Amino acid sequence: MLSLRHLAESDRFADVMRVLLALTGIALWCTLAGPAEAIVPALLGAIACALAETDDAWRGRLRGLIVTLLCFALAAAAVKACIGTPPLFAILLPVGTFLLVMLGAASGRYATIATATLILSVYTMIATDSAGAAAGGWHGTLAILAGAAWYGSLSLLWSALAPQRAVRHALARLFESLAALIEAKAALFEPVRGLDRDALHIEFSKRNLRTVEALTAARIALLDRIGRRQPRGRSAARLGMFFVAQDIHERISSSHYPYDELAGALYHSDLMFRFGRLLRLQAIACRERADAIREVAPLRSIALPRAALDDLREALAYRRRSDPPDEAIDDALSALLSNMDRLQAGIEDEGSLREDADISLQGNEPASIREALARVRLRLNRRSMHFRHAMRLAIGMLAGYALMLGLHPTHGYWILLTTLFVCQPSYGATRRRMVQRIAGTTAGLVVGWALLRLLPPGDWRLPVLVATGAAFFAFRLRRYALATGVITLFVLLCFDRVGAGYDAIGPRLLDTLLGAVVAAAAIRFVLPDWRVRRLDDIVADALLAYGRYLERIADQYAHGKVDDLPYRIARRDAHAAQAAVAGNVAELLGEPGHSRDLGERALRLLTALQAGLSHLSTLGAHRQSLPADDALALQALARHITHGFDALAGHIRTGTVAPPLGTPALLVGTSIRVTLGAETVRLIDRQCLLLIRVHDRIAAIPKA
């Protein structure tokens, strides 16, 4: 029973069940009551509509469904009307591709709908080709739209009956990503000299990228369900849980002292080991929190991390009694213990909201059609990644169509489908997708050939057809090669419905190889968007975001800790900017043509920016109201560092040498240190000096 419940509460279960019900309904209706020849196009329409689906509440899903069906109808009608006239179709195909990709610049929801519309367009070509009526009647097109409308209606009903499921799963994924981030942080506390901490910081950056994405997904899901209403009951608890997750993220991102220096100072102590063990236990508790959210169950006992926290507290007290005092190390350990204590409280928090809390969230969706068009116009330039991908895919689709006309004019639409799926915005993603697509298609065709030999002809094959369509949605996000294999089997069985199963095996494999070659050529030669060329701009954007984050932190030390919307936006922008650098560097290292020096420079910039964000997060995690004189001194120092980051961003964009920010006076002491020597003020002072060190570290990295 527990395994069945765990399966029912898994992330993909609802999506797979909706697709399974939709495909089963289509198969039964067309077999028992409707026209049997409509089954293939209706199934393809349902799958295309499922690909256009987003995790919105029923109102947002209704609006999205209307837009989706409108786009589907226009695209299917245009394809059906022009497919019999190759010169006209050769104009429509790249223009329509470009417009749909640029439509995705408005928001993530529109991007999903645009991609699904392109897929449906090719499905319309395949359905027309399968029916052997390239310029014939419109029954197949209407069946595609009917299948899409059927799935959309089922999805809308499902969303209305289970409105909070998407929020629960988004929050569960968020806490799972936080657990992985905590484990990466624990690795930094290994009490080993000479450890490659740069590699550990890079791994932490990769996991932080996934956490930032999970935070964004959870925020969008909450905003869609709550809107501007005052949340009540479980909605309020889940919103409070999201704010708790943000606080946990800030605390995990913090760094109170350079880890290599801390490991050296504590080499003969077990304190580093105890910190690492506590973090690993807290990661386990964070995963248990994720399971509790997903299953709507209370959090199980987390006595182990509590006991480990008590043991750590006693070990620190023993060190203070027995070892000679070291102000810097003692302050760092004290702040670390306080941070771990509050982190533990955050994991245990059930999502309580204070009455005076600022619960507003910032949305990503355009407020009007005018704003959506303004976003699209903003990206209509050669420097925009969206524009370059739109041009690249449009030219790739045109090249695939020309290749199709040259080889087998009426049976080569699989070339276009492969080009569409393989051609991604980045070189690394395109290369991975190409390998997965070829491997999956080959495996699917081999299995399909075996099934066609083993299964008797007729409607007995329908359950396999439906199962493969649903399996595609079970695997497509995490195991794309397997998803490609089952969808290949699905389409092969669709061809078999019209008597072309065996005939499709050889051409489909050739078309897949040709489509992959077209996609590879497009990403390589059509407005190539090498990430190394964008690195400096993205690093500069991160430095500017760091400055805005530091300004908000300094204001809170002057006026008291308040997690208001401006502060949360500044914190989110800083983490998103660092995540953008991490993603850029990961793609850059997989691209051809860059030198070893460029790769090393990118990694050095990434680790330096990660260190800077860690020190900012430390300042954010320990926010509290300071005396007026100390707050003014901190604000002056923060302005100095912010101006330095802003100037450094300009130097990086222009490729000029930036002067160091750390003057001899700052390196010896600052006004805030001289004013008062309290532990909190000393912590703030050291973090500011470490930020200055990060500035000078980035400024000293030569341009390769």
Side-chain angles (χ1 to χ4, degrees), residues 189-258:
F189 283 88
E190 287 295 325
V192 178
R193 288 174 176 170
L195 191 65
D196 187 358
R197 298 191 184 277
D198 283 343
L200 296 177
H201 280 294
I202 291 169
E203 177 61 27
F204 184 87
S205 293
K206 291 179 181 177
R207 297 194 185 188
N208 188 58
L209 171 60
R210 291 192 283 271
T211 302
V212 170
E213 292 171 347
L215 278 164
T216 301
R219 177 172 54 83
I220 292 172
L222 283 164
L223 185 64
D224 187 62
R225 267 72 180 180
I226 297 173
R228 298 183 179 181
R229 303 189 305 274
Q230 181 69 27
R232 295 285 186 272
R234 285 183 175 176
S235 294
R238 284 165 185 152
L239 180 60
M241 197 70 68
F242 173 72
F243 291 144
V244 167
Q246 286 185 319
D247 185 70
I248 292 174
H249 183 223
E250 186 172 54
R251 294 188 180 283
I252 289 302
S253 301
S254 63
S255 174
H256 296 75
Y257 206 83

Side-chain angles (χ1 to χ4, degrees), residues 48-72 103 107-114 116-117 148-149 152-153 155-156 224 365:
C49 190
L51 290 172
E53 190 174 43
T54 54
D55 283 333
D56 298 324
W58 72 268
R59 293 182 181 86
R61 197 164 295 202
L62 176 60
R63 292 192 297 269
L65 178 60
I66 292 171
V67 174
T68 298
L69 292 178
L70 180 61
C71 290
F72 280 11
L103 174 65
S107 72
R109 177 185 295 170
Y110 288 110
T112 302
I113 292 174
T117 302
S153 302
S155 175
L156 188 62
D224 187 62
E365 293 296 319

Side-chain angles (χ1 to χ4, degrees), residues 248-444:
I248 292 174
H249 183 223
E250 186 172 54
R251 294 188 180 283
I252 289 302
S253 301
S254 63
S255 174
H256 296 75
Y257 206 83
Y259 294 103
D260 51 350
E261 297 178 27
L262 199 61
L266 301 175
Y267 185 70
H268 297 289
S269 168
D270 67 349
L271 284 173
M272 291 289 281
F273 169 78
R274 288 183 181 275
F275 275 116
R277 177 174 178 270
L278 174 59
L279 282 169
R280 290 187 177 91
L281 290 173
Q282 288 177 333
I284 294 172
C286 210
R287 283 201 171 86
E288 291 178 352
R289 167 62 71 191
D291 292 338
I293 293 171
R294 183 178 287 112
E295 298 171 7
V296 197
L299 182 65
R300 292 192 291 270
S301 172
I302 49 175
L304 279 178
R306 287 175 185 161
L309 184 61
D310 292 337
D311 292 345
L312 179 58
R313 190 177 287 111
E314 292 179 7
L316 280 174
Y318 177 80
R319 181 186 185 278
R320 291 192 187 97
R321 292 194 304 267
S322 58
D323 291 357
D326 185 329
E327 183 181 82
I329 297 296
D330 290 343
D331 287 349
L333 293 176
S334 178
L336 262 171
L337 179 63
S338 174
N339 199 47
M340 297 285 188
D341 194 4
R342 294 177 185 177
L343 176 63
Q344 183 69 29
I347 295 173
E348 297 178 23
D349 195 332
E350 295 290 343
S352 56
L353 280 175
R354 296 200 321 267
E355 291 184 3
D356 59 341
D358 183 356
I359 61 171
S360 52
L361 297 172
Q362 185 188 41
N364 290 342
E365 293 296 319
S368 63
I369 296 178
R370 176 177 295 181
E371 183 181 344
L373 293 176
R375 292 187 185 186
V376 174
R377 283 196 301 270
L378 189 64
R379 289 168 174 80
L380 280 173
N381 63 82
R382 186 182 174 87
R383 291 179 58 84
S384 166
M385 293 178 62
H386 231 108
F387 176 83
R388 298 170 80 90
H389 178 58
M391 288 295 296
R392 193 181 302 129
L393 188 58
I395 294 174
M397 294 291 279
L398 179 60
Y401 184 61
L403 190 62
M404 185 197 84
L405 291 177
L407 293 178
H408 38 142
T410 59
H411 301 288
Y413 296 108
W414 204 275
I415 298 175
L416 300 181
L417 189 65
T418 302
T419 301
L420 177 60
F421 277 117
V422 170
C423 190
Q424 300 295 304
S426 68
Y427 176 87
T430 300
R431 186 179 63 178
R432 290 190 298 272
R433 187 62 65 89
M434 179 171 64
V435 173
Q436 293 168 340
R437 189 82 189 175
I438 293 173
T441 300
T442 303

Side-chain angles (χ1 to χ4, degrees), residues 110-122:
Y110 288 110
T112 302
I113 292 174
T115 301
T117 302
L118 284 171
I119 294 170
L120 179 125
S121 300
V122 182

